[in-house]
Amino acid sequence: MTTATTEQEPAAPAPAPRNAPGRSRSRYGVLLRYLSVRLLLIVPTAWILVTVVFFLMRVVGDPISAALGGHLPPDQIEARKEAAGLNRPVLSQYWDYISGLVRGDFGRSTDNRAIGDIIASYGAATLELVFWALLVAFLVGVPLGRYAARRRDKAADVGLRLFGILVYAAPVFFVGLLLKLIFAVKLGWLPVAGRASTNVELALQHVSPKTNILTIDAILYGDSGYLVDVLKHAVLPAIALGLLTAGIFLRLVRINLIQTLRSDFVDAARARGLSERTVVGRHAFRNAMIPIVTVMGMQIAMMLGGAVLTEITFEWKGLGYQLAQYLQARDFIAVQGIVAFLALVVAVMSFLVDVVVALIDPRVRF
């Protein structure tokens, strides 16, 4: 009597645990490749931006004639053009310009100042303004967006949506002038313009090490009165520039939080008996914040553009203020260098935002 034997197919291997070393290495490898590609994209992005700036500046003619035409005799203008290499073919000038950027040389203004020195002197002021404006945008836009989402279609939600549209659509210089009239001229609570009072600025010139960020310089100086003075000067410019982005954050947080509250995992959290405050704060709100981080790079670019008008309105002597001065003087070499630097900053910030998004949202890596 023979016993029939049956052949069995080999069992499929069990999936690796989520925290298995091989799976972890694979995820980190994908993340590394994604970030490497994004890092490499900085180069062509920055190259396109600075190339467009270079040739747009050449459309209006050579910078020396534009800045000094009518102020100097023609022979002196020609001599300056020759010394600056502006009599050479445009492609040769472009090659010299790109080569200089690679070495960190942004050129020299018509008054023979190095653009790099101008950026170092005034860029810190713009960085300080953008930081305070971003803080205002978060403190205003995110809590109001969360509040509007929890009271969807009620009077508070409608009012906050109108507020978001209003602050986003209002020109930043108009908001700045309105704030000056109310809080500086009529009420007298805050300074009208400047980064600090004259005596404070003079005193902070001698602080060591000097950062050109007056908030930090005032802390290093060790005088609380100087710090209060600097902060009071920063309030109105930061609000004027920050409200522009606060309107965007408000609408983004509201719509994404509403969508997240409809998700299955939120229903499961509610079914476990968690309070509505815990469901919104611990589960839904974190997911709703991902789009805020995603658009951060674009918002920083918008703030750099809005900083020009804000700095002019409040006489905040930063990079935007200097850019406006050079535009008025038709010093296109300086304009070209400053705009190229801002383009590089935007490209780098976009990469940093991609890094943060990739770390908090794994979906972007696959």
Side-chain angles (χ1 to χ4, degrees):
M1 185 175 176
T2 60
T3 304
T5 59
T6 58
E7 298 183 357
Q8 296 181 351
E9 295 183 358
R18 294 180 63 86
N19 57 352
R23 183 185 182 95
S24 177
R25 286 195 296 270
S26 175
R27 292 183 63 183
Y28 283 120
V30 173
L31 173 60
L32 183 61
R33 286 195 298 271
Y34 169 79
L35 295 180
S36 299
V37 171
R38 297 300 303 170
L39 180 62
L40 291 175
L41 285 177
I42 292 179
V43 177
T45 302
W47 172 71
I48 292 172
L49 290 172
V50 299
T51 299
V52 170
V53 171
F54 176 87
F55 285 104
L56 283 178
M57 291 294 100
R58 293 306 185 275
V59 169
V60 297
D62 70 272
I64 301 295
S65 298
L68 301 175
H71 300 282
L72 292 177
D75 57 337
Q76 292 188 23
I77 291 179
E78 288 299 320
R80 294 202 178 195
K81 288 168 60 177
E82 185 68 29
L86 296 175
N87 286 331
R88 301 173 60 196
V90 174
L91 291 180
S92 298
Q93 297 179 39
Y94 173 70
W95 173 255
D96 292 341
Y97 174 61
I98 295 296
S99 302
L101 287 181
V102 173
R103 299 190 304 269
D105 181 10
F106 290 87
R108 305 188 75 87
S109 62
T110 53
D111 57 358
N112 204 33
R113 293 182 64 188
I115 307 301
D117 293 341
I118 296 172
I119 292 171
S121 299
Y122 297 98
T126 299
L127 176 64
E128 184 177 18
L129 175 59
V130 170
F131 171 80
W132 291 123
L134 273 176
L135 184 62
V136 170
F138 273 111
L139 293 179
V140 174
V142 174
L144 292 184
R146 180 174 174 173
Y147 185 83
R150 296 186 63 181
R151 285 153 180 79
R152 182 187 177 192
D153 296 332
K154 295 182 180 179
D157 179 31
V158 175
L160 288 174
R161 277 187 287 170
L162 290 175
F163 170 77
I165 295 173
L166 180 63
V167 296
Y168 175 71
V172 65
F173 67 89
F174 173 77
V175 176
L177 291 173
L178 194 62
L179 291 173
K180 288 172 68 172
L181 287 173
I182 296 174
F183 295 101
V185 177
K186 186 174 181 60
L187 298 176
W189 291 352
L190 295 168
V192 176
R195 298 181 63 198
S197 301
T198 304
N199 64 314
V200 174
E201 286 201 59
L202 291 175
L204 295 182
Q205 293 296 320
H206 305 290
V207 70
S208 180
K210 192 175 186 322
T211 65
N212 289 322
I213 299 176
L214 294 190
T215 306
I216 297 178
D217 290 343
I219 294 173
L220 294 175
Y221 194 86
D223 191 316
S224 59
Y226 286 1
L227 178 60
V228 170
D229 181 82
V230 169
L231 293 176
K232 287 174 66 175
H233 280 79
V235 170
L236 293 183
I239 293 176
L241 184 57
L243 285 178
L244 174 69
T245 305
I248 300 174
F249 286 176
L250 190 158
R251 299 178 67 187
L252 278 175
V253 170
R254 176 189 174 275
I255 189 64
N256 284 281
L257 187 55
I258 288 175
Q259 293 176 353
T260 305
L261 288 172
R262 298 173 178 172
S263 302
D264 294 337
F265 74 90
V266 173
D267 293 336
R270 286 170 174 156
R272 292 199 303 269
L274 298 178
S275 65
E276 188 67 16
R277 182 176 181 179
T278 302
V279 170
V280 174
R282 185 176 298 176
H283 297 278
F285 183 64
R286 291 182 181 179
N287 288 274
M289 284 297 295
I290 292 177
I292 296 293
V293 181
T294 305
V295 302
M296 184 61 67
M298 182 175 62
Q299 297 311 313
I300 291 175
M302 290 181 61
M303 279 192 167
L304 289 174
V308 177
L309 296 175
T310 306
E311 290 179 6
I312 294 172
T313 303
F314 290 95
E315 297 182 23
W316 184 280
K317 294 183 179 179
L319 211 53
Y321 182 85
Q322 289 301 118
L323 180 62
Q325 297 299 311
Y326 285 125
L327 278 170
Q328 187 175 2
R330 301 178 66 83
D331 188 344
F332 295 138
I333 296 179
V335 172
Q336 174 182 280
I338 294 174
V339 173
F341 172 76
L342 294 178
L344 292 173
V345 170
V346 171
V348 172
M349 289 303 303
S350 297
F351 167 73
L352 296 178
V353 169
D354 288 335
V355 172
V356 175
V357 172
L359 292 175
I360 66 176
D361 188 5
R363 294 172 298 180
V364 303
R365 306 199 292 265
F366 303 100

